[in-house]
Amino acid sequence: MRCKVLSFVVLLALIKHVSSNEIQAYPNTNATLPCNISIQEDKMDVTLIRVNWTRGDSSVATFGGAEEQVKDGFSWDPTGFTDGDFSLTVLQASLSLQGVYECRVSYNFTDLPSSIVAFSILAPPSVFVPQKWVLLEKENQLECHAKGFYPPTVYFSWTREEQVIQPPFQVEGELSPDGYYTAVNNLTFYPSREDQNVTFGCKVSHRGNSQEVDIQLNVTYLPSVRLSVIKTRFSNTPLTLYCDVESFYPEDVSVSWFQNGTALPDPPATDQNTDHTYTTRRYFTLSPEQRQKRGKVECVVNQPEVADPVSTSADLDKLDPQDEAPVLTKSAKASVAMMCISIVLVFLLCFGFSWRRRD
């Protein structure tokens, strides 16, 4: 008996104390919580081994003799016990499995040094910057969103053409219902014309992990707007208004009309005929340069699923004659005829009076 106790004391002297560990894992991955005891013996007698993994007051895995119990979400390999490896594997790591775990091992009813492992989740953020148009020379904000990260501290920084324009700024994320954190950081600036199509970047740093998202800036140029009218001689005829919209970007714009604060309806693009067909009139204004080119102009009408469009053409010299003698209307011709007749009658009367006096 004395020899047995002495030999076990020698065994304890050969065991190295296992220090505490900190283990981090990404969500939904497996992580190993180490618990190793180094001995110089070839093998330990498995029947004398007792193992108990706990988290707080809750038992996670136990082993004693032929009995073994492991909770769902954990696993281990008992074949390694005789070599002093009592490590526990966390399956599908999640926030609910975080905590301080303790590994207690006894051999031949004598407690061996325990192993304490602090297990936590490390979830890097997903980063995105919503694409948006910004107004030229106006105050604008770009938003950088970081989602799904843990623990809650992140650092935001901004770049323009890879040059830092806002240094790292610490932000504490807001807790989401799923237990992870979200954060938003804004970049306030006044875009210039030189910022058109320039690359801006948002960089988010989290526990040594950095992610960066680049966007190409789209700058909106606000237009200059001028309202005019096509003058008419009479007040009881329709009045045509036109609105010049200039120096804007991008190309797509829409124009609405209001009178005394009330929206005016858009004129219909087509009118329906009694036979259920449609009629429309389209306008195109030729520039002075185009007008001087003269030649043939053509109106081509395309319809869906129609291979050969319908068209009509005319010569500008006929539609828009220039430098030609004016053509008299019927009423003008009648006036000229009456004037000629009057002149002839006056001449005849004068000639008749003079002839009569001579007689």
Side-chain angles (χ1 to χ4, degrees):
M1 180 65 180
R2 182 178 178 182
C3 181
K4 183 176 181 180
V5 173
L6 182 60
S7 63
F8 189 70
V9 170
V10 173
L11 175 62
L12 287 177
L14 297 176
I15 297 176
K16 297 179 181 179
H17 179 72
V18 180
S19 61
S20 299
N21 294 278
E22 292 185 2
I23 300 297
Q24 290 184 321
Y26 293 121
N28 300 318
T29 61
N30 297 340
T32 299
L33 310 184
C35 181
N36 296 281
I37 298 177
S38 299
I39 60 173
Q40 291 186 350
E41 287 190 357
D42 292 337
K43 297 288 184 181
M44 297 176 66
D45 188 348
V46 71
T47 61
L48 301 178
I49 296 175
R50 300 292 185 271
V51 184
N52 186 22
W53 273 96
T54 58
R55 184 178 62 162
D57 297 331
S58 176
S59 179
V60 174
T62 59
F63 177 86
E67 296 183 2
E68 175 188 358
Q69 291 184 348
V70 182
K71 280 190 173 182
D72 291 340
F74 301 90
S75 70
W76 59 10
D77 183 11
T79 60
F81 290 175
T82 56
D83 296 323
D85 184 2
F86 308 98
S87 300
L88 182 70
T89 300
V90 180
L91 305 176
Q92 299 294 305
S94 63
L95 293 175
S96 62
L97 297 178
Q98 293 186 115
V100 177
Y101 291 77
E102 185 174 5
C103 171
R104 292 192 180 95
V105 181
S106 65
Y107 186 67
N108 197 18
F109 302 103
T110 301
D111 293 336
L112 305 181
S114 62
S115 175
I116 297 177
V117 181
F119 175 68
S120 60
I121 293 293
L122 179 62
S126 60
V127 181
F128 71 96
V129 177
Q131 187 71 39
K132 63 179 294 187
W133 286 82
V134 295
L135 297 180
L136 178 68
E137 298 175 350
K138 304 289 184 180
E139 182 179 295
N140 291 267
Q141 286 188 338
L142 293 178
E143 294 183 349
C144 185
H145 295 257
K147 290 187 175 182
F149 59 91
Y150 189 94
T153 303
V154 289
Y155 294 85
F156 287 89
S157 61
W158 290 87
T159 60
R160 181 188 184 275
E161 294 294 328
E162 299 183 354
Q163 299 296 319
V164 176
I165 57 176
Q166 179 176 294
F169 178 75
Q170 180 177 331
V171 176
E172 295 296 321
E174 295 184 1
L175 187 63
S176 300
D178 60 0
Y180 295 96
Y181 289 87
T182 63
V184 180
N185 184 249
N186 297 325
L187 174 67
T188 302
F189 69 115
Y190 292 80
S192 65
R193 293 181 182 272
E194 288 73 23
D195 288 325
Q196 184 69 270
N197 298 323
V198 166
T199 299
F200 281 71
C202 173
K203 182 178 180 180
V204 180
S205 301
H206 177 261
R207 290 296 182 95
N209 181 18
S210 297
Q211 297 195 36
E212 187 169 2
V213 174
D214 293 335
I215 64 165
Q216 202 169 48
L217 201 64
N218 296 316
V219 182
T220 297
Y221 297 4
L222 295 179
S224 62
V225 183
R226 185 174 65 254
L227 182 61
S228 305
V229 63
I230 299 177
K231 296 181 179 180
T232 61
R233 297 178 57 188
F234 306 102
S235 61
N236 59 347
T237 58
L239 182 66
T240 300
L241 307 173
Y242 63 93
C243 190
D244 290 310
V245 185
E246 301 174 344
S247 301
F248 62 90
Y249 185 88
E251 179 181 3
D252 295 333
V253 293
S254 63
V255 177
S256 302
W257 293 90
F258 293 82
Q259 186 175 25
N260 299 325
T262 302
L264 298 175
D266 293 331
T270 57
D271 295 319
Q272 190 170 25
N273 304 318
T274 56
D275 61 353
H276 302 293
T277 61
Y278 293 90
T279 298
T280 186
R281 175 175 289 178
R282 303 297 171 90
Y283 295 90
F284 187 90
T285 301
L286 293 177
S287 67
E289 294 78 9
Q290 291 171 324
R291 188 178 181 186
Q292 291 300 322
K293 287 182 179 180
R294 314 304 293 167
K296 184 179 71 172
V297 291
E298 187 174 8
C299 174
V300 180
V301 180
N302 293 280
Q303 293 175 283
E305 307 300 329
V306 176
D308 299 319
V310 179
S311 65
T312 185
S313 62
D315 198 293
L316 271 183
D317 291 333
K318 293 183 179 180
L319 294 178
D320 181 36
Q322 297 181 353
D323 300 327
E324 292 183 359
V327 179
L328 296 178
T329 62
K330 289 183 179 181
S331 59
K333 290 179 179 179
S335 298
V336 171
M338 291 298 296
M339 186 178 298
C340 292
I341 293 172
S342 299
I343 293 173
V344 171
L345 290 175
V346 170
F347 176 77
L348 291 175
L349 287 174
C350 292
F351 181 77
F353 280 120
S354 63
W355 180 268
R356 188 172 182 179
R357 289 179 63 185
R358 184 178 298 178
D359 290 345

